[in-house]
Amino acid sequence: VYDTIIVGIVEISGGFIDDDQIICNNAEAETLTSLSLPTVSIADFDSPLLQWQKLTITGNWENILNANNANYNPGVFNETTDFRRVAYIEVENETCEAYSNTITITHLDAILTVSEPECIEGGATASLNVELNPSISSVSPIYSWSGPNTFSSSLQNRLLTDFSLSDQGEYS
């Protein structure tokens, strides 16, 4: 009795997803888009199933509930997070999977401070400061201060000299 067994290699690719993003203070991230879809090397298989994952604080990848399309909208969140997409197929009770590239959405906190004391005497100098956390060397932020009396500045840190009653108010 002779039997024939066909042995083949199934290759699956995870495809590629769009680049890293930087968002500030409770902003909504852009949709994570597919630059190339996952593929399977043998035509006998359907398109792979998809599942988006995020990296947890504990260092484990976690499936994102109901995130199983080519693209994913992460919405609003408040922490730096890594994402990837898993493509998988079932072959005779075995799961074959591949991963897309990993992208990072970096969440920046902008910390605004005004120099002490909060009670500024007329003629004194006050300073406005902004700090981004974390600091990212590859990013060149654009600063835009505005305030009372048509005040505006594009400097990260600005001194307000000879402070007077017409300078009091809200600065942002």
Coordinates of all heavy atoms in Angstrom, one line a residue, residues 100-159:
S100 N 2.2 42.8 11.1 CA 2.6 44.0 10.4 C 3.7 44.7 11.1 O 4.2 44.2 12.2 CB 1.4 45.0 10.3 OG 1.2 45.5 11.6
N101 N 4.2 45.8 10.5 CA 5.2 46.6 11.3 C 4.5 47.2 12.5 O 3.2 47.2 12.6 CB 5.7 47.7 10.4 CG 4.6 48.6 9.8 OD1 3.7 48.0 9.2 ND2 4.7 49.9 9.9
T102 N 5.2 47.6 13.5 CA 4.7 48.2 14.7 C 4.8 49.7 14.6 O 5.8 50.2 14.1 CB 5.5 47.8 15.9 OG1 5.4 46.3 16.1 CG2 5.0 48.4 17.2
I103 N 3.7 50.4 14.9 CA 3.7 51.9 14.9 C 3.5 52.4 16.3 O 2.9 51.7 17.1 CB 2.8 52.5 13.9 CG1 1.3 52.2 14.2 CG2 3.1 52.0 12.5 CD1 0.6 53.4 14.8
T104 N 4.0 53.6 16.6 CA 3.8 54.2 17.9 C 3.0 55.4 17.8 O 3.3 56.3 16.9 CB 5.2 54.5 18.6 OG1 5.9 53.2 18.7 CG2 5.0 55.1 19.9
I105 N 2.0 55.6 18.6 CA 1.3 56.9 18.8 C 1.8 57.5 20.1 O 1.6 56.9 21.1 CB -0.2 56.8 18.8 CG1 -0.7 56.2 17.4 CG2 -0.8 58.1 19.0 CD1 -2.1 56.0 17.3
T106 N 2.6 58.5 20.0 CA 3.2 59.2 21.1 C 2.3 60.3 21.6 O 1.8 61.1 20.9 CB 4.6 59.8 20.8 OG1 5.4 58.8 20.3 CG2 5.2 60.4 22.0
H107 N 1.9 60.2 22.9 CA 1.1 61.2 23.5 C 2.0 62.2 24.2 O 2.8 61.8 25.1 CB 0.1 60.5 24.5 CG -0.7 61.5 25.3 ND1 -0.4 62.0 26.5 CD2 -1.9 62.1 24.9 CE1 -1.3 62.8 26.9 NE2 -2.3 62.9 25.9
L108 N 1.8 63.5 23.9 CA 2.6 64.5 24.5 C 1.7 65.3 25.5 O 0.6 65.6 25.2 CB 3.1 65.5 23.5 CG 4.2 65.1 22.5 CD1 4.5 66.2 21.5 CD2 5.4 64.7 23.3
D109 N 2.2 65.6 26.6 CA 1.6 66.5 27.6 C 2.3 67.8 27.4 O 3.5 67.9 27.5 CB 1.8 66.0 29.0 CG 0.9 64.8 29.4 OD1 -0.3 64.9 28.9 OD2 1.3 63.9 30.1
A110 N 1.5 68.9 27.3 CA 2.0 70.2 27.2 C 1.8 70.8 28.6 O 0.7 70.9 29.1 CB 1.4 71.1 26.2
I111 N 2.9 71.2 29.3 CA 2.8 71.7 30.6 C 3.0 73.2 30.6 O 4.1 73.6 30.2 CB 3.8 71.0 31.6 CG1 3.5 69.5 31.6 CG2 3.7 71.6 33.0 CD1 4.6 68.7 32.2
L112 N 2.0 74.0 30.9 CA 2.2 75.5 30.9 C 2.4 76.0 32.3 O 1.7 75.6 33.2 CB 0.9 76.1 30.3 CG 0.4 75.7 28.9 CD1 -0.9 76.3 28.6 CD2 1.4 76.0 27.9
T113 N 3.4 76.9 32.4 CA 3.7 77.5 33.7 C 3.9 79.0 33.6 O 4.3 79.5 32.6 CB 4.9 76.8 34.4 OG1 6.0 77.1 33.5 CG2 4.8 75.4 34.6
V114 N 3.5 79.6 34.7 CA 3.8 81.1 34.8 C 4.7 81.2 36.0 O 4.5 80.6 37.0 CB 2.4 81.9 35.0 CG1 2.7 83.3 35.2 CG2 1.5 81.6 33.8
S115 N 5.7 82.1 35.9 CA 6.6 82.3 37.0 C 6.0 82.7 38.2 O 4.9 83.4 38.2 CB 7.7 83.3 36.5 OG 7.1 84.6 36.4
E116 N 6.6 82.3 39.4 CA 6.1 82.8 40.7 C 6.5 84.2 40.9 O 7.5 84.6 40.4 CB 6.7 81.9 41.7 CG 6.1 80.4 41.6 CD 4.7 80.3 41.9 OE1 4.1 81.1 42.7 OE2 4.0 79.3 41.4
P117 N 5.9 85.0 41.7 CA 4.7 84.7 42.4 C 3.5 84.9 41.5 O 3.6 85.5 40.5 CB 4.7 85.6 43.6 CG 5.4 86.8 43.0 CD 6.4 86.3 42.1
E118 N 2.4 84.3 41.9 CA 1.2 84.5 41.1 C 0.7 85.9 41.1 O 0.0 86.4 40.2 CB 0.1 83.5 41.5 CG 0.4 82.1 41.1 CD -0.7 81.1 41.4 OE1 -1.9 81.6 41.5 OE2 -0.4 79.9 41.5
C119 N 1.0 86.6 42.2 CA 0.6 88.0 42.3 C 1.8 88.8 41.8 O 2.9 88.8 42.4 CB 0.4 88.4 43.8 SG -1.1 87.6 44.5
I120 N 1.6 89.5 40.7 CA 2.7 90.2 40.0 C 2.5 91.7 40.2 O 1.4 92.2 39.9 CB 2.8 89.9 38.5 CG1 3.0 88.4 38.3 CG2 3.9 90.6 37.8 CD1 2.8 87.9 36.9
E121 N 3.5 92.3 40.8 CA 3.4 93.8 41.0 C 3.6 94.5 39.7 O 4.3 94.0 38.8 CB 4.5 94.2 42.0 CG 4.3 93.7 43.4 CD 5.4 94.1 44.3 OE1 6.1 95.2 44.0 OE2 5.6 93.5 45.4
G122 N 3.0 95.7 39.6 CA 3.1 96.5 38.4 C 4.6 96.8 38.2 O 5.4 97.1 39.1
G123 N 5.1 96.7 36.9 CA 6.4 96.9 36.5 C 7.3 95.7 36.7 O 8.5 95.7 36.2
A124 N 6.8 94.6 37.3 CA 7.6 93.4 37.5 C 7.7 92.6 36.1 O 7.1 93.0 35.2 CB 7.0 92.5 38.6
T125 N 8.5 91.6 36.1 CA 8.6 90.7 35.0 C 8.0 89.3 35.3 O 8.3 88.8 36.4 CB 10.1 90.5 34.6 OG1 10.7 91.8 34.2 CG2 10.3 89.5 33.4
A126 N 7.2 88.8 34.4 CA 6.6 87.5 34.5 C 7.1 86.6 33.4 O 7.5 87.2 32.3 CB 5.1 87.5 34.5
S127 N 7.2 85.3 33.5 CA 7.6 84.5 32.4 C 6.5 83.4 32.1 O 5.9 82.9 33.0 CB 8.9 83.8 32.7 OG 8.8 82.9 33.7
L128 N 6.3 83.2 30.8 CA 5.4 82.1 30.4 C 6.3 81.0 29.8 O 7.2 81.3 29.0 CB 4.5 82.7 29.3 CG 3.6 83.8 29.6 CD1 2.9 84.3 28.4 CD2 2.6 83.4 30.7
N129 N 6.0 79.8 30.2 CA 6.9 78.7 29.8 C 6.0 77.5 29.4 O 4.9 77.3 30.0 CB 7.8 78.2 30.9 CG 8.6 79.3 31.5 OD1 9.5 79.8 30.7 ND2 8.5 79.6 32.7
V130 N 6.4 76.8 28.4 CA 5.7 75.5 28.0 C 6.8 74.5 27.8 O 7.9 74.7 27.3 CB 4.9 75.7 26.7 CG1 5.8 76.0 25.5 CG2 4.0 74.5 26.4
E131 N 6.4 73.3 28.3 CA 7.3 72.1 28.2 C 6.6 70.9 27.7 O 5.4 70.7 28.1 CB 7.9 71.8 29.6 CG 8.8 70.6 29.6 CD 9.2 70.3 31.1 OE1 9.3 71.2 31.9 OE2 9.4 69.1 31.3
L132 N 7.1 70.3 26.7 CA 6.5 69.1 26.1 C 7.1 67.8 26.8 O 8.3 67.7 27.0 CB 6.7 69.0 24.6 CG 6.1 70.1 23.8 CD1 6.4 69.9 22.4 CD2 4.6 70.1 24.0
N133 N 6.2 66.9 27.2 CA 6.7 65.7 27.9 C 6.0 64.5 27.3 O 4.8 64.4 27.2 CB 6.3 65.8 29.4 CG 6.8 64.6 30.2 OD1 7.7 64.0 29.7 ND2 6.2 64.4 31.3
P134 N 6.8 63.6 26.7 CA 8.2 63.6 26.6 C 8.8 64.5 25.6 O 8.1 64.8 24.6 CB 8.5 62.1 26.3 CG 7.4 61.7 25.4 CD 6.2 62.4 26.0
S135 N 10.0 64.8 25.7 CA 10.7 65.7 24.7 C 11.1 64.7 23.6 O 11.6 63.7 23.8 CB 12.0 66.3 25.4 OG 12.7 66.9 24.4
I136 N 10.9 65.2 22.3 CA 11.2 64.3 21.2 C 12.1 65.1 20.3 O 11.8 66.1 19.7 CB 9.9 63.9 20.4 CG1 9.0 63.2 21.3 CG2 10.2 63.1 19.2 CD1 7.6 62.9 20.7
S137 N 13.4 64.6 20.1 CA 14.4 65.4 19.4 C 14.1 65.5 17.9 O 14.5 66.5 17.3 CB 15.7 64.7 19.6 OG 15.7 63.4 19.1
S138 N 13.3 64.6 17.3 CA 13.0 64.7 15.9 C 11.8 65.6 15.6 O 11.4 65.8 14.4 CB 12.7 63.3 15.3 OG 11.6 62.8 16.0
V139 N 11.2 66.3 16.6 CA 10.1 67.1 16.4 C 10.4 68.5 16.7 O 11.1 68.8 17.7 CB 8.9 66.7 17.4 CG1 7.8 67.6 17.3 CG2 8.5 65.3 17.0
S140 N 10.1 69.4 15.8 CA 10.3 70.9 16.1 C 8.9 71.5 16.3 O 8.2 71.9 15.3 CB 11.0 71.5 14.9 OG 12.2 70.9 14.7
P141 N 8.5 71.7 17.5 CA 7.1 72.2 17.8 C 7.0 73.7 17.3 O 8.0 74.4 17.3 CB 7.0 72.2 19.3 CG 8.1 71.4 19.8 CD 9.2 71.4 18.8
I142 N 5.8 74.1 17.0 CA 5.5 75.5 16.7 C 4.7 76.0 17.8 O 3.7 75.5 18.2 CB 4.7 75.6 15.4 CG1 5.5 75.0 14.2 CG2 4.2 77.0 15.1 CD1 4.7 74.9 12.9
Y143 N 5.2 77.1 18.4 CA 4.6 77.7 19.6 C 3.8 78.9 19.2 O 4.2 79.7 18.3 CB 5.6 78.1 20.6 CG 6.4 76.9 21.1 CD1 7.7 76.6 20.6 CD2 5.9 76.1 22.1 CE1 8.4 75.5 21.0 CE2 6.6 75.0 22.6 CZ 7.9 74.7 22.0 OH 8.6 73.6 22.4
S144 N 2.6 79.1 19.8 CA 1.8 80.2 19.5 C 1.1 80.7 20.8 O 0.0 80.1 21.1 CB 0.8 79.9 18.4 OG -0.1 80.9 18.1
W145 N 1.6 81.7 21.4 CA 1.0 82.3 22.6 C 0.1 83.4 22.2 O 0.3 84.1 21.2 CB 2.1 82.9 23.5 CG 3.0 81.9 24.2 CD1 4.3 81.6 23.9 CD2 2.7 81.2 25.4 NE1 4.8 80.7 24.8 CE2 3.9 80.5 25.8 CE3 1.6 81.2 26.3 CZ2 3.9 79.7 26.9 CZ3 1.7 80.4 27.4 CH2 2.8 79.7 27.7
S146 N -1.0 83.5 22.9 CA -1.9 84.7 22.8 C -2.4 85.1 24.1 O -2.3 84.3 25.1 CB -3.1 84.3 21.9 OG -3.9 83.3 22.5
G147 N -2.7 86.4 24.2 CA -3.2 86.9 25.5 C -3.8 88.3 25.4 O -4.1 88.7 24.3
P148 N -4.1 88.9 26.5 CA -4.7 90.2 26.5 C -3.9 91.3 25.8 O -2.7 91.1 25.6 CB -4.9 90.5 28.0 CG -4.2 89.5 28.8 CD -3.7 88.5 27.8
N149 N -4.6 92.3 25.4 CA -3.9 93.5 24.8 C -3.2 93.1 23.5 O -2.1 93.6 23.3 CB -2.9 94.1 25.9 CG -2.9 95.6 25.9 OD1 -3.8 96.2 25.3 ND2 -2.0 96.1 26.6
T150 N -3.8 92.2 22.7 CA -3.2 91.7 21.5 C -1.9 91.1 21.6 O -1.1 91.0 20.7 CB -3.2 92.8 20.4 OG1 -2.2 93.8 20.8 CG2 -4.5 93.4 20.1
F151 N -1.6 90.5 22.8 CA -0.3 89.8 23.0 C -0.2 88.6 22.1 O -1.2 87.8 22.0 CB -0.1 89.4 24.5 CG 1.0 88.5 24.7 CD1 2.3 89.0 24.8 CD2 0.8 87.1 24.8 CE1 3.4 88.2 25.0 CE2 1.9 86.3 25.0 CZ 3.2 86.8 25.1
S152 N 0.9 88.4 21.5 CA 1.2 87.1 20.8 C 2.7 86.9 20.8 O 3.5 87.8 20.8 CB 0.6 87.2 19.4 OG 1.3 88.1 18.6
S153 N 3.1 85.6 20.7 CA 4.5 85.3 20.6 C 4.6 83.9 20.0 O 3.7 83.0 20.2 CB 5.1 85.3 22.0 OG 6.4 84.8 22.0
S154 N 5.7 83.6 19.3 CA 6.0 82.3 18.8 C 7.2 81.7 19.5 O 7.7 80.7 19.0 CB 6.2 82.4 17.3 OG 7.3 83.3 17.0
L155 N 7.6 82.2 20.6 CA 8.7 81.7 21.4 C 8.2 80.6 22.4 O 7.1 80.7 22.9 CB 9.4 82.8 22.2 CG 10.0 83.9 21.4 CD1 10.6 85.0 22.3 CD2 11.1 83.4 20.5
Q156 N 9.0 79.6 22.7 CA 8.6 78.6 23.6 C 8.4 79.2 25.0 O 7.5 78.9 25.7 CB 9.7 77.5 23.7 CG 9.4 76.4 24.7 CD 10.4 75.3 24.8 OE1 11.4 75.3 24.1 NE2 10.2 74.4 25.7
N157 N 9.4 80.0 25.4 CA 9.3 80.7 26.7 C 9.4 82.2 26.5 O 10.2 82.7 25.7 CB 10.5 80.2 27.6 CG 10.5 78.7 27.8 OD1 9.5 78.1 28.1 ND2 11.6 78.0 27.5
R158 N 8.5 82.9 27.1 CA 8.4 84.4 26.9 C 8.4 85.1 28.2 O 7.7 84.8 29.1 CB 7.1 84.6 26.1 CG 6.8 86.1 25.8 CD 7.9 86.7 24.9 NE 7.8 88.1 24.9 CZ 7.1 88.8 24.0 NH1 6.5 88.2 23.0 NH2 7.1 90.1 24.1
L159 N 9.2 86.2 28.2 CA 9.2 87.1 29.4 C 8.3 88.2 29.1 O 8.2 88.8 28.0 CB 10.6 87.7 29.6 CG 11.7 86.7 30.1 CD1 13.0 87.4 30.2 CD2 11.3 86.1 31.4

